[in-house]
Amino acid sequence: MISSESPTPRVQSLSDLPPGGSALVEAVQSGFPVEWVDEVAARLNLTKRSLAPYLAVSDSTLRRRASQGHLNANESDRLYRLASTLDLCTELFEGNADAAASWMLQPQFGLNDHRPVDLLSTHPGCEAVRDLIGRLEHGVVV
């Protein structure tokens, strides 16, 4: 169940991620391991190359990051937004990861027919998606 009391959504898809607070901020600022892109892409049934635009990076940038071993802070922040929102969506679908991934990739009436995944590269877009998930969780008509 989604709760407004939980400021940091649980991210099940990224191994070894701090649960929140300053440790999470430091992890984002230090840059997530590039392998985490593969984890999130797999949860969405996408390739890493297909996921790149949602992180606002090119495929060549992802290849460079692979050789460096980590993302930069902005890319890590976008990946965190995507993964944590996917986790909220998975909760909405009672643990059904495939249904959550499908929902994230389909246009949603409550988002003016935008696909949730397309809105997650900005903070306001992410808030809109999370707000819709919360409304659906609580049975609010959208």
Side-chain angles (χ1 to χ4, degrees):
M1 175 173 256
I2 298 171
S3 170
S4 60
E5 298 168 8
S6 175
T8 306
R10 181 175 74 258
V11 179
Q12 301 166 344
S13 54
L14 306 180
S15 54
D16 303 321
L17 186 65
S22 63
L24 176 59
V25 172
E26 288 176 27
V28 169
Q29 290 173 338
S30 296
F32 290 166
V34 74
E35 294 83 14
W36 289 0
V37 175
D38 294 317
E39 290 184 38
V40 175
R43 285 196 62 211
L44 285 167
N45 301 313
L46 297 173
T47 64
K48 187 187 326 187
R49 185 177 194 177
S50 299
L51 186 68
Y54 306 122
L55 302 177
V57 298
S58 66
D59 188 44
S60 61
T61 298
L62 270 185
R63 284 194 303 272
R64 253 191 331 277
R65 297 294 182 254
S67 68
Q68 296 168 348
H70 60 86
L71 303 173
N72 70 26
N74 288 329
E75 296 154 355
S76 297
D77 182 54
R78 288 186 209 106
L79 185 63
Y80 174 76
R81 263 185 271 173
L82 180 54
S84 61
T85 304
L86 182 55
D87 286 344
L88 291 175
C89 190
T90 302
E91 288 181 26
L92 173 67
F93 286 95
E94 299 179 353
N96 186 333
D98 289 335
S102 178
W103 186 88
M104 293 281 288
L105 296 170
Q106 299 297 318
Q108 300 301 323
F109 179 78
L111 297 171
N112 294 324
D113 289 325
H114 288 94
R115 297 179 331 152
V117 72
D118 293 330
L119 300 177
L120 297 176
S121 64
T122 67
H123 186 73
C126 185
E127 285 181 345
V129 173
R130 290 180 180 187
D131 180 59
L132 177 59
I133 292 169
R135 287 184 285 148
L136 293 170
E137 181 77 26
H138 291 96
V140 177
V141 177
V142 291

